[in-house]
Amino acid sequence: MLADGERSVASNGTSRSHALAKSQQRSQATGTANGTHKSLNGSSKPQPTGRYHGHDREELSRILIQALSDLGYHSAAQSLSNDSGFELESPVVAAFRSAVLDGVWNEAEQLLFGATESSDRASEDGNGLVLANGMDRNLMRLWIRQQKFMELLEQRETGRALMVLRNEVTPLSPDTQKLHFLSSLIMCQTTEELKAKAEWDGAQGQSRRILLSQLSRCISPSVMLPEHRLASLLNQVKENQIERCLYHSNSAPPTLYADHMCERRHFPSENVTELDNHDGEVWQVVFSHDGTRLASCGSDKQVIIWEAPSFRLLHSLKGHEEGVGNVAWSWDDSMLVTCGRDRYARLWDVQTGECLRKLNKFQEPVSSCVWAADGRTFITGSLEKSHSLVQWNLSGEKVFDWNSNHRVEDLAVSPDGHWLVAMDDQNHIHVYNFITRDFEYKMDLHVRLTSISISQNSRHLLVNYRNGVAQLFDLILREDIQSYTGHTGGEFMIRSSFGGADESFVISGSEATRVLWGAVPPSQRGQLKTNPLQCDTYDTESVPVWHTQ
């Protein structure tokens, strides 16, 4: 409620400071501007000087003190602070932290009032609290006062809450809509209603820690360390090693004991068999979610289900009058939906190979299908413009029709059930909020599209173009992240997809070759490895199976 768009604790203000940094009298706390003055423990031991393998000794010592405290090794943290002469935080920073967590709002504002900015030269006027460059002190005060207002409402002190809203919050807030919302909370009859309406868990919940986390992002990290700083740095080290690993194929996190590097022989680079039971072009192959079965479909009017890894033929789903262009596994892998050019969508029992349901005939070919997160409904896309996007239940009854005015050639739903993305037969993608079923936005990509796919983190959309380019988009920010080139497009259906350990690769079909790219975690934008790792020709009437050497 206090942090617009932020509902979770995700910064540097949520852990209690080390005992050395706590002030016994918050109102009298003082300290140096950077919060790293020598500890007053009377130690006369000579302190090591110089840098530690190129790293600042003070920064490293404070990070280690924090990490030891996080691990519960408080005596070791105390000993390190004594031996190094450095404190985790100055008394004034600890006082500010305690004031926020204890709900002493006037004191928190007083300490904030005496803070200086990191761009300012240290002066006698500063109290030791240092704000990051460009931070708005009044905005921080507004966050504090909003929390104060909410807690007064929780205590049913409506009169005092109204005074805080009028005299303290309103002068600092330019957002009239937010002020109207806060005013509406006064009408809540119970504490439970207040918390539900404001999406706020109260003074005894996490709200104060969330506030501190929000405030701490505005304080210079040299004064208040980001939360779990050592763990964050180690995660960056692991991510960097994974990014530099050309043949990364291990989903287990790298060890810290040695540098990480996957061997090429563990990468699936050898064609060990080809499944040639189809009598025509193969248009799509899809593994079940548990990886034990593979479904393939194509122009020969059948869908073949294979057992993996033996690739023994289990079922041949026949009865389609024309080619099958798309198949979709249910989330529990018990059912399969097939989409035919004969204008029918069919629901199959994977165990028996029996056709359970045949939907009413469409006016145009059924192009695609995805399952809803509930596992009891699925969505079809078709070239029939009037009913191109429809949700069905297992009985073949229509649940919802988006009544979209565009044809659909491909569909993708995010694993978290939030996004439904439709690709039309031109140059556009249409993005829907699948939870509310509302249309969110449309993007004109200016080139004819061939396929779409959503990452497992439900954040990124992979789009393949007919001109031989694949592109990665951020669904939330609505912007492109990276392009991939090297494969050949044209008139045929070319699909691109995520793959590998933690989806560290992007793989695409091609009219002449299959191309595989390495893709680093999307957190490192602009650093994706886009050189193809391998290119291999393949027969369009067979399904090549790859394995490690």
Side-chain angles (χ1 to χ4, degrees):
M1 178 356 228
L2 299 177
D4 296 337
E6 297 287 343
R7 299 292 182 191
S8 61
V9 180
S11 185
N12 59 353
T14 62
S15 60
R16 294 280 185 175
S17 60
H18 184 263
L20 285 174
K22 289 188 176 180
S23 170
Q24 299 298 321
Q25 300 293 330
R26 289 192 300 265
S27 61
Q28 299 179 2
T30 58
T32 60
N34 61 7
T36 57
H37 61 298
K38 298 291 185 181
S39 60
L40 306 177
N41 55 15
S43 173
S44 59
K45 295 180 181 179
Q47 307 300 330
T49 59
R51 302 177 71 84
Y52 175 77
H53 294 277
H55 300 287
D56 184 276
R57 186 176 294 272
E58 179 181 334
E59 290 182 359
L60 182 60
S61 297
R62 293 179 62 215
I63 289 173
L64 290 176
I65 292 171
Q66 183 195 55
L68 289 170
S69 297
D70 288 345
L71 290 168
Y73 305 144
H74 301 293
S75 296
Q78 175 78 44
S79 178
L80 176 57
S81 181
N82 292 340
D83 290 345
S84 67
F86 299 119
E87 289 184 342
L88 177 58
E89 293 175 344
S90 69
V92 71
V93 174
F96 180 75
R97 180 191 296 275
S98 297
V100 173
L101 293 178
D102 295 340
V104 188
W105 308 121
N106 290 339
E107 183 173 338
E109 284 207 44
Q110 289 175 5
L111 291 170
L112 184 60
F113 182 79
T116 59
E117 293 190 12
S118 58
S119 57
D120 298 338
R121 291 187 176 182
S123 67
E124 295 181 358
D125 297 332
N127 64 3
L129 192 64
V130 182
L131 304 184
N133 289 333
M135 291 298 105
D136 187 343
R137 197 188 313 258
N138 283 336
L139 181 60
M140 298 173 69
R141 292 169 62 203
L142 174 63
W143 294 338
I144 291 173
R145 293 177 180 185
Q146 286 179 167
Q147 178 74 13
K148 179 180 178 181
F149 166 76
M150 293 296 299
E151 292 192 13
L152 287 172
L153 285 183
E154 183 185 23
Q155 298 162 13
R156 310 308 298 162
E157 297 189 34
T158 307
R160 290 183 59 196
L162 183 59
M163 293 297 294
V164 169
L165 180 62
R166 288 177 176 174
N167 301 330
E168 299 182 30
V169 175
T170 301
L172 295 177
S173 177
D175 190 343
T176 55
Q177 185 175 358
K178 183 65 173 293
L179 290 174
H180 289 158
F181 173 74
L182 293 175
S183 299
S184 70
L185 297 177
I186 297 176
M187 305 304 296
C188 293
Q189 299 299 312
T190 64
T191 300
E192 291 70 23
E193 183 184 356
L194 170 69
K195 292 179 179 180
K197 186 174 182 179
E199 298 182 27
W200 180 77
D201 64 358
Q204 301 305 313
Q206 292 295 313
S207 63
R208 289 181 180 176
R209 292 183 179 275
I210 293 173
L211 171 62
L212 182 59
S213 175
Q214 187 179 8
L215 292 168
S216 67
R217 288 194 289 268
C218 302
I219 298 175
S220 172
S222 66
V223 172
M224 181 180 282
L225 286 183
E227 183 185 22
H228 310 308
R229 182 57 182 161
L230 180 60
S232 176
L233 292 173
L234 293 178
N235 286 337
Q236 293 178 39
V237 169
K238 290 183 177 182
E239 286 184 6
N240 180 263
Q241 293 197 8
I242 290 174
E243 292 164 19
R244 296 167 65 89
C245 179
L246 183 62
Y247 298 103
H248 183 66
S249 55
N250 191 344
S251 59
T255 178
L256 294 174
Y257 290 136
D259 292 341
H260 171 77
M261 185 61 64
C262 293
E263 298 182 32
R264 180 170 182 173
R265 62 188 179 89
H266 292 152
F267 191 84
S269 57
E270 285 199 352
N271 186 348
V272 295
T273 187
E274 290 194 5
L275 310 177
D276 55 3
N277 293 62
H278 282 281
D279 296 324
E281 292 180 354
V282 178
W283 291 343
Q284 189 182 36
V285 290
V286 183
F287 274 102
S288 60
H289 296 96
D290 63 7
T292 62
R293 284 162 293 184
L294 175 71
S296 60
C297 63
S299 63
D300 61 352
K301 308 177 186 179
Q302 67 172 329
V303 176
I304 299 178
I305 299 179
W306 318 81
E307 182 185 61
S310 67
F311 294 102
R312 177 175 59 91
L313 193 151
L314 296 177
H315 298 291
S316 179
L317 310 182
K318 297 183 178 180
H320 307 89
E321 298 173 13
E322 293 190 41
V324 181
N326 190 276
V327 297
W329 292 88
S330 62
W331 291 107
D332 63 0
D333 297 324
S334 66
M335 292 173 286
L336 192 74
V337 175
T338 62
C339 304
R341 297 187 61 82
D342 61 1
R343 305 180 185 181
Y344 285 105
R346 295 172 173 85
L347 179 66
W348 303 81
D349 185 316
V350 175
Q351 298 298 327
T352 64
E354 175 188 0
C355 183
L356 301 175
R357 199 76 56 198
K358 182 179 178 181
L359 300 186
N360 293 332
K361 190 171 186 178
F362 290 76
Q363 298 301 312
E364 297 290 343
V366 185
S367 59
S368 51
C369 176
V370 292
W371 284 81
D374 59 20
R376 300 185 299 273
T377 60
F378 55 90
I379 303 92
T380 57
S382 77
L383 300 180
E384 179 182 339
K385 201 169 185 179
S386 58
H387 302 289
S388 63
L389 197 58
V390 181
Q391 185 175 7
W392 311 83
N393 62 23
L394 300 181
S395 299
E397 300 167 335
K398 186 182 296 185
V399 175
F400 187 78
D401 190 333
W402 276 264
N403 293 312
S404 55
N405 59 357
H406 58 83
R407 295 181 172 89
V408 174
E409 281 201 340
D410 199 12
L411 281 176
V413 66
S414 60
D416 65 0
H418 182 83
W419 303 105
L420 175 65
V421 183
M423 181 192 85
D424 66 20
D425 60 342
Q426 297 299 321
N427 312 325
H428 309 95
I429 57 172
H430 306 257
V431 181
Y432 298 85
N433 182 324
F434 190 40
I435 298 175
T436 63
R437 296 194 175 103
D438 293 332
F439 173 76
E440 290 281 341
Y441 61 91
K442 169 183 170 182
M443 295 181 66
D444 185 354
L445 302 181
H446 308 293
V447 180
R448 184 67 183 272
L449 314 177
T450 65
S451 73
I452 54 177
S453 179
I454 297 180
S455 61
Q456 285 298 313
N457 66 5
S458 300
R459 179 74 184 259
H460 302 99
L461 178 73
L462 181 64
V463 179
N464 198 78
Y465 299 93
R466 178 170 287 184
N467 63 359
V469 174
Q471 199 162 19
L472 193 66
F473 288 90
D474 188 308
L475 285 168
I476 297 176
L477 299 180
R478 308 183 185 185
E479 61 185 29
D480 64 289
I481 298 175
Q482 183 65 52
S483 296
Y484 306 89
T485 58
H487 59 305
T488 304
E491 298 300 319
F492 296 98
M493 172 64 73
I494 304 298
R495 300 185 186 275
S496 298
S497 183
F498 300 95
D502 297 322
E503 295 190 331
S504 55
F505 296 102
V506 167
I507 188 169
S508 178
S510 176
E511 291 195 3
T513 60
R514 174 176 283 106
V515 183
L516 182 68
W517 298 274
V520 303
S523 59
Q524 302 295 325
R525 292 189 184 178
Q527 299 182 25
L528 286 93
K529 298 175 286 187
T530 56
N531 293 326
L533 297 182
Q534 67 178 47
C535 300
D536 299 282
T537 61
Y538 66 97
D539 182 356
T540 59
E541 295 188 4
S542 63
V543 181
V545 178
W546 304 83
H547 204 278
T548 58
Q549 295 179 0

